[in-house]
Amino acid sequence: MVLVALLTGGLFLPQWAMFIVTIAFAKALVALGLMILLRAGLISFGQALYYCLGAYAAGALGRFLGIADIFVQMLAGAAAAGIAAFILGFLLAKYRGIFFGLLSLALSMILYGLLVKNETLGSTDGFNILPSTLFGTRPGPAWVRYAVLASAAVVSLGLALVVHRYLRTPLGRLAPAIKDNEIRVEYMGASARYAVHVIYVVAAVLAGVGGALAATTVGHIDPDMAFWTTSGEFIFITILAGTGSVVAPFAGALIYEIIHTTAYDLSPNTWQLSLGAALLIIIVFLPQGLWSLVSKMSTRYARHP
Amino acid sequence: MDGTIYSAWLFTAALGLTLIYGVMKIVNVTHGSFYALGAYAGASLTGAWLAAGYPPMLSYVVLLVAAVLVAIVVAPLIERGILRFMYAKDEVVILLITYALFLILEDVIKLIWGVNPYFIAEPYALLGSFEVGGLAYPTYNLILVLLALVSGVGLMWLLHSTRVGKLLVAVIHDPEVSRAMGINVHRYYLATFTFGSLLAALAGAFTAPTVSVVPGLGVEIIVLSFAVVVIGGLGSLPGAALGAVIVGVVRSVSVHYWPAVELFVIYFVMAMVLAFRPRGLFSLAEPRKI
Amino acid sequence: MPAILDARGLCKRFGAVTAANEVSAAIEKDTVVGLIGTNGAGKTTFINMITGYLKPERGAIEYEGRDITALPPREITRLGICRSFQIPQLYGSLSVWENMMVGIGIVLANAGQGGFFARGRIWDTRPVPGYGRPAAEVAEHILERFGLADYRHRNAQVLPGGVRKLLDIALTMVAKPRLLLLDEPTSGVSAQEKFGIMQMVLEAVRAEGATVLFVEHDMEVVSRFAQRVLAFYDGRIIADAAPEVALADPEVRRHVVGRARAAHA
């Protein structure tokens, strides 16, 4: 039902709004991954690594193989990010707190350092992505944005449901326990490292899909997608949204994109200032994120219908 | 030679970061903002000084004054106004708070100085150049090396040979016990934050004559400083020196022999150190948990 | 009676301190054993070695006929050895109920019952291994046993000290341990409450059929509840006997009991 609403609603959006919503979906997927990491107490300052990897995997498909199908691109993004995270996860799953953050930062900066000097991949300028196709057909110019948006909605909904189900499994419930007391987790017979490794790979896959989606929506990719400020943006969305529900990152990303677009047009030089102030206010006064307002309201409503 | 200069510059920039972490356990992203603020203040004050026709040789003093001004005005504002309420929070949360402050300061800089670049090349050209092995180097670079040496040695001296420094070492070791013994821990935090930020502002101010001062300076330097500090060991002063030397050497070697990996190698070394010695090359043992 | 646990010649040093010096003990199934000794005598080191937190430099630990000396804590736990902690180790941000559910989730997952693709509603219907009943019923049962049912919605962080202690022990029960190690279960509990709490804990634990080792400083509690006493001094076991015999031993009186009295006076 949500899907039908999204798809029909999307039909009535103007082109520029379709763009914003699609980008919001892409960033929300990354934030969704950061959310499940955050539930385990881990903050990655390098999630841009997988976002960028997903985007370049999608771009490379078009550049070297001529494939521009949206779903194949997203699959490639997911695979590239997932494989990289599986390998790097053996290392990262041992780390917590500040060291997890710094190591993930270093890893994303490594990719950035490689891409800016790589001529084949366009170095600092990056390169353009082929116009998207859908199951071998090329939608007319009026329909391209809608086709991408619809695909983004379908994939996001599917992934959100998967994550929602994961959160209810024993492994999903283990995350806050790892955050609280890892010693106890081990003495209850579970491996925190294994759990963190799984969460890390899932988060990376989500970021990879998000990256591929962003690439095909914007039509251009460059190494800045791996720079640490990109990771900062994702952390911002995640903290803004909170960890209460899989819906939260999507709401957070949409709010972020709308504010981004309007505030940036109104006053490009105070845009970061407002972001910083908002982040500060959220951390101090709403440590559970904006979603905690929603859940508070719904419990109140449940008590006094 | 390039490596030495680069290392010296990195060392000055990163020293304050490791000091602040060592004392306050804050991974301080605003360090990059102080670097940028120092660069802007240095560039505009020196520009005004030279435009007014004052003796150019004194412009070095103006750079110094600019950095000090930035540190004593902005650092206490941030530490007293915001950070001191956050000390009870988790290290990672404080890191996010300094990131928020960093975003705010980025735009404050744009509001004050605009987005156009500043150039002040006079102090750079003024001292002429010298030759090493047939290659000419601007003498100004020696000032950067000198600055690094003075900051490093000065800080070591402060910590190990003065009463204040020894008390600070006590605070580092155990803030709770220090507080119980009547040491005003908050005053030390304020002093540390201001002094650490001063080091960043100094690095920024003295870099200003060698580059065009544009928005985004802080964004670049903060990740590099992280790399330096993490390689040496968070909170270790000799570690920062070692980290700066390693990054400087690795970078200049790669610039000469394999320019394609210039940035890559720096973060690769950082990742390798984290992988094999997570607490850096100069690290302390972890305490037992149960 | 067969031994459930057999420790032989355990040695462990921390720098110049010898925390375990040729420690050997065989624990029979279905007994309650008290560990006594002053702080630093080696009791907690003994427990830490059994549960895999510390590896002995020499010696071997056999559990149900299997060598567990080299295993990590989580695998030792999976074999049925659980422990509680001197300082309760809880999930502070979660409620008492969620604390139990995390534990039951681990048990389900370790039994291959809690995977992502497991069909049906895991929490409502899957029987928990060892109990044969669904998760909610098991949690309810254990909380009742430990008198914690009224606290179920409270956050673990804000519980009173004694309740935290009980929850810490209750959490070990979800895995249905066959050997349970209690590290000072009554520390921080007032003298009047000690007996009641110890009584409740032992009843709950024995009802599930666990063999118990407990560390205790109060000699009255030890003589009342332990069937056998291991007295530690300077990294060695200086007495291993029934409580009345062990507590009357001159060496134990000099090194352990006397000091315990002095400390309590």
Side-chain angles (χ1 to χ4, degrees):
Chain A
M1 208 187 64
V2 182
L3 189 61
V4 174
L6 276 173
L7 291 182
T8 47
L11 279 174
F12 299 102
L13 285 176
Q15 292 278 322
W16 61 267
M18 282 189 196
F19 178 78
I20 291 178
V21 176
T22 317
I23 288 293
F25 271 123
K27 290 187 176 167
L29 287 173
V30 188
L32 185 61
L34 282 178
M35 179 189 106
I36 58 175
L37 281 169
L38 188 60
R39 277 168 48 88
L42 299 168
I43 293 188
S44 161
F45 282 87
Q47 208 62 3
L49 168 66
Y50 299 109
Y51 182 66
C52 184
L53 215 52
Y56 271 77
L61 271 186
R63 195 171 168 95
F64 302 116
L65 301 172
I67 299 170
D69 188 274
I70 299 171
F71 286 98
V72 179
Q73 283 179 337
M74 286 196 259
L75 212 58
I83 292 167
F86 176 71
I87 296 165
L88 294 174
F90 286 103
L91 182 59
L92 270 154
K94 286 189 290 189
Y95 293 76
R96 301 291 179 269
I98 226 95
F99 292 96
F100 180 85
L102 289 173
L103 183 53
S104 54
L105 170 78
L107 293 171
S108 80
M109 290 303 289
I110 285 180
L111 180 65
Y112 174 79
L114 283 176
L115 289 176
V116 289
K117 298 282 182 171
N118 190 310
E119 297 294 336
T120 340
L121 295 172
S123 60
T124 37
D125 296 332
F127 59 88
N128 287 332
I129 307 279
L130 294 178
S132 324
T133 61
L134 191 58
F135 303 122
T137 62
R138 175 154 301 162
W143 287 93
V144 174
R145 285 230 188 285
Y146 180 72
V148 176
L149 171 64
S151 321
V154 171
V155 169
S156 299
L157 192 73
L159 289 173
L161 286 175
V162 169
V163 172
H164 182 68
R165 173 153 183 145
Y166 149 80
L167 291 182
R168 297 169 62 83
T169 64
L171 197 64
R173 286 202 173 193
L174 201 55
I178 291 172
K179 178 185 180 180
D180 277 0
N181 195 334
E182 199 167 327
I183 291 172
R184 187 82 213 202
V185 166
E186 292 283 325
Y187 276 102
M188 286 182 124
S191 165
R193 255 176 89 169
Y194 171 75
V196 169
H197 199 157
V198 171
I199 293 169
Y200 186 71
V201 173
V202 173
V205 166
L206 291 167
V209 176
L213 194 56
T216 189
T217 311
V218 179
H220 179 83
I221 52 179
D222 62 45
D224 272 351
M225 293 182 98
F227 199 63
W228 75 269
T229 46
T230 310
S231 299
E233 198 178 312
F234 295 134
I235 290 176
F236 179 87
I237 295 173
T238 313
I239 303 281
L240 177 81
T243 58
S245 152
V246 292
V247 184
F250 290 92
L254 192 61
I255 293 171
Y256 175 86
E257 277 307 308
I258 291 171
I259 299 175
H260 183 129
T261 318
T262 48
Y264 199 79
D265 285 345
L266 290 175
S267 159
N269 290 345
T270 55
W271 146 245
Q272 289 192 83
L273 197 152
S274 1
L275 274 192
L279 184 57
L280 211 55
I281 290 168
I282 296 274
I283 293 174
V284 176
F285 296 106
L286 267 183
Q288 304 299 315
L290 288 178
W291 192 259
S292 59
L293 292 179
V294 179
S295 45
K296 236 176 252 168
M297 270 190 301
S298 61
T299 41
R300 193 169 304 161
Y301 183 76
R303 261 183 229 148
H304 315 279
Chain B
M1 193 64 208
D2 273 339
T4 313
I5 296 160
Y6 191 73
S7 297
W9 169 73
L10 273 179
F11 176 69
T12 320
L15 187 62
L17 189 67
T18 210
L19 174 72
I20 289 173
Y21 183 82
V23 177
M24 305 162 79
K25 295 288 169 288
I26 292 181
V27 177
N28 178 24
V29 185
T30 58
H31 206 69
S33 316
F34 279 100
Y35 176 88
L37 280 169
Y40 270 102
S44 56
L45 275 186
T46 311
W49 176 269
L50 293 169
Y54 294 125
M57 280 314 269
L58 285 180
S59 57
Y60 306 105
V61 180
V62 179
L63 287 174
L64 192 72
V65 171
V68 171
L69 273 179
V70 164
I72 60 172
V73 173
V74 187
L77 200 68
I78 289 179
E79 202 276 340
R80 288 286 90 183
I82 294 169
L83 287 182
R84 71 171 161 139
F85 302 108
M86 312 294 174
Y87 291 143
K89 293 188 194 292
D90 195 64
E91 265 183 33
V92 179
V93 176
I94 301 184
L95 169 60
L96 287 177
I97 287 165
T98 63
Y99 170 60
L101 292 169
F102 170 84
L103 290 176
I104 294 172
L105 288 173
E106 278 289 288
D107 274 2
V108 168
I109 289 174
K110 282 186 205 153
L111 287 176
I112 298 177
W113 282 285
V115 292
N116 296 321
Y118 281 70
F119 299 99
I120 42 144
E122 285 90 340
Y124 189 56
L126 203 58
L127 295 174
S129 58
F130 66 98
E131 273 189 25
V132 179
L135 288 168
Y137 293 96
T139 309
Y140 183 82
N141 285 335
L142 291 183
I143 291 193
L144 292 180
V145 177
L146 192 70
L147 183 68
L149 286 175
V150 170
S151 316
V153 174
L155 187 56
M156 288 302 259
W157 176 78
L158 269 179
L159 284 180
H160 295 294
S161 307
T162 64
R163 204 182 93 87
V164 175
K166 284 177 182 162
L167 287 177
L168 185 64
V169 173
V171 172
I172 296 172
H173 197 70
D174 196 329
E176 291 306 315
V177 171
S178 309
R179 190 169 293 135
M181 285 167 63
I183 299 176
N184 186 341
V185 171
H186 278 288
R187 194 184 298 162
Y188 280 89
Y189 279 7
L190 175 62
T192 303
F193 192 77
T194 310
F195 192 74
S197 302
L198 171 66
L199 291 170
L202 274 175
F206 280 88
T207 309
T210 68
V211 293
S212 70
V213 178
V214 287
L217 272 183
V219 173
E220 302 285 341
I221 190 69
I222 189 65
V223 257
L224 273 177
S225 306
F226 275 160
V228 167
V229 166
V230 164
I231 289 171
L234 273 170
S236 154
L237 299 184
L242 181 68
V245 169
I246 290 177
V247 171
V249 168
V250 158
R251 178 180 168 273
S252 50
V253 166
S254 99
V255 167
H256 281 292
Y257 297 103
W258 197 10
V261 297
E262 178 196 336
L263 264 182
F264 161 80
V265 283
I266 294 175
Y267 298 105
F268 184 72
V269 172
M270 176 180 174
M272 281 298 116
V273 168
L274 277 170
F276 294 105
R277 285 203 66 135
R279 288 172 184 271
L281 297 172
F282 277 82
S283 54
L284 306 164
E286 252 186 290
R288 231 180 105 192
K289 285 189 193 115
I290 44 174
Chain C
M1 226 177 277
I4 187 168
L5 185 86
D6 193 5
R8 282 186 305 265
L10 301 181
C11 295
K12 181 78 192 173
R13 251 176 306 174
F14 300 110
V17 182
T18 306
N21 183 6
E22 294 289 335
V23 172
S24 299
I27 308 298
E28 281 97 38
K29 211 168 157 11
D30 293 321
T31 52
V32 175
V33 180
L35 309 186
I36 60 171
T38 50
N39 289 327
K43 310 175 303 281
T44 298
T45 301
F46 184 56
I47 288 188
N48 281 343
M49 287 191 294
I50 296 171
T51 53
Y53 183 73
L54 298 174
K55 299 290 165 223
E57 279 141 24
R58 269 190 294 131
I61 304 165
E62 219 172 71
Y63 166 74
E64 293 180 341
R66 185 183 162 169
D67 185 19
I68 59 162
T69 323
L71 297 182
R74 62 172 175 279
E75 279 175 35
I76 291 175
T77 302
R78 284 176 203 168
L79 293 175
I81 301 182
C82 293
R83 71 168 292 181
S84 73
F85 297 83
Q86 207 172 322
I87 303 157
Q89 302 285 334
L90 310 173
Y91 306 123
S93 72
L94 304 180
S95 70
V96 168
W97 184 259
E98 286 164 335
N99 266 270
M100 298 298 287
M101 280 305 173
V102 167
I104 294 174
I106 294 172
V107 175
L108 282 168
N110 283 343
Q113 295 272 302
F116 185 82
F117 298 105
R119 287 175 56 203
R121 299 171 67 185
I122 305 164
W123 304 100
D124 302 339
T125 56
R126 300 262 149 172
V128 178
Y131 287 92
R133 286 189 280 167
E137 281 180 37
V138 172
E140 192 69 44
H141 166 75
I142 296 174
L143 290 180
E144 285 291 343
R145 271 285 187 184
F146 283 85
L148 292 168
D150 293 341
Y151 293 96
R152 77 183 72 197
H153 297 302
R154 296 271 293 276
N155 253 33
Q157 214 153 21
V158 298
L159 295 175
V163 179
R164 289 168 63 82
K165 210 76 200 180
L166 282 174
L167 179 57
D168 188 65
I169 299 169
L171 282 178
T172 64
M173 293 312 295
V174 298
K176 193 129 188 174
R178 293 194 292 278
L179 175 62
L180 185 60
L181 310 165
L182 304 173
D183 198 351
E184 302 197 19
T186 66
S187 73
V189 175
S190 71
Q192 299 95 306
E193 290 174 316
K194 275 191 175 185
F195 283 91
I197 285 194
M198 203 60 196
Q199 183 85 36
M200 174 163 74
V201 166
L202 283 181
E203 265 173 26
V205 168
R206 297 290 298 126
E208 307 297 348
T211 304
V212 179
L213 251 70
F214 69 98
V215 173
E216 181 57 63
H217 286 292
D218 188 321
M219 293 309 142
E220 287 177 44
V221 173
V222 173
S223 49
R224 166 123 164 234
F225 294 104
Q227 297 161 353
R228 177 181 163 197
V229 167
L230 300 180
F232 284 78
Y233 176 70
D234 201 18
R236 288 174 299 123
I237 294 179
I238 53 173
D240 175 358
E244 57 276 13
V245 180
L247 294 181
D249 181 280
E251 215 181 343
V252 172
R253 292 185 72 85
R254 186 164 64 246
H255 293 305
V256 185
V257 184
R259 294 201 191 188
R261 285 234 179 84
H264 277 273

